[in-house]
Amino acid sequence: MDATDRAQGTLWERGAAGDDGAFGLIFDLHRDRVFRHAYRILQDVHDAEDASAVAFLELWRRRRQVRLVDGSPLPWLLATTTNTCRNLARTKRRYRTLLDALPHSATAPSAEDAALDGLVADGDLVAALTTLSRADAELFALVAVEGYAITDAAVAVGVSPGAARTRMHRIRNSLQHQLGHHTLAGYLSKEAT
């Protein structure tokens, strides 16, 4: 056992005893190696990050039962990472199988789409939209028709989220007044929050 192994062994003893700082140093020492190992198995960055996090969580949770090799928890971490990757892959496979088994229907519109389609079909909404400014019409289209979050739509239109909420409130009131349609007003008030 060389000096590095002895230093790591000392760090591990402190970490296993509950020293957060020592455990943090163990994490810093091995995180890249554990991530690379997980990535080699899973071939997905996000899944490898998840597997690495679970492996280190298990290292902390089971720190009193970890078997060291030459004073290092790395072999235990790598074995745990392998098992975590296998579990994650199995879970994803089961989830995909379940989703594939569910009936799919491309013709079933959501309730919001059905309500908006009914409004657009009669031409009144199109006429009402022409009375809005360009920015308000764009904001309405992004939030109410396309289903974007109001904060995302605000960025696309170039206004602050607070201003977008205010505009959506004004748009809702204007369209409700022009169309006299409470379904649309209710939908917009839900989206603007």
Side-chain angles (χ1 to χ4, degrees), residues 34-173:
V34 169
F35 173 80
R36 283 192 306 271
H37 181 69
Y39 184 76
R40 266 188 230 109
I41 295 170
L42 297 169
Q43 297 296 306
D44 182 89
V45 172
H46 301 293
D47 288 346
E49 289 171 346
D50 290 345
S52 300
V54 169
F56 277 103
L57 177 66
E58 285 299 304
L59 180 67
W60 176 256
R61 193 176 69 79
R62 299 184 58 199
R63 63 188 176 276
R64 289 177 181 51
Q65 294 95 26
V66 172
R67 284 183 244 147
L68 304 180
V69 176
D70 292 329
S72 174
L74 183 61
W76 187 94
L77 262 172
L78 294 175
T80 301
T81 302
T82 300
N83 290 331
T84 300
C85 290
R86 292 179 62 206
N87 290 341
L88 182 62
R90 187 179 318 115
T91 300
K92 285 181 77 169
R93 198 170 40 254
R94 286 178 183 160
Y95 183 68
R96 272 193 298 270
T97 301
L98 173 67
L99 289 179
D100 290 342
L102 293 175
H104 299 288
S105 174
T107 60
S110 68
E112 292 89 359
D113 288 342
L116 287 174
D117 287 345
L119 290 173
V120 173
D122 68 10
D124 292 340
L125 180 59
V126 174
L129 287 177
T130 61
T131 65
L132 298 176
S133 70
R134 177 179 172 195
D136 286 352
E138 290 173 357
L139 184 63
F140 172 80
L142 289 172
V143 174
V145 177
E146 296 299 326
Y148 281 91
I150 197 156
T151 52
D152 295 335
V155 171
V157 175
V159 297
S160 71
R165 285 185 188 88
T166 302
R167 284 181 179 211
M168 284 302 294
H169 179 74
R170 189 181 71 231
I171 293 167
R172 184 194 70 214
N173 289 338

Side-chain angles (χ1 to χ4, degrees), residues 2-3 9 14 19-20 29-30 37 89 94 114 119 130 142 148 176 186:
D2 65 7
R14 289 179 29 217
D19 182 346
D20 299 5
L29 191 60
H30 298 301
H37 181 69
R94 286 178 183 160
L119 290 173
T130 61
L142 289 172
Y148 281 91
Q176 182 180 1

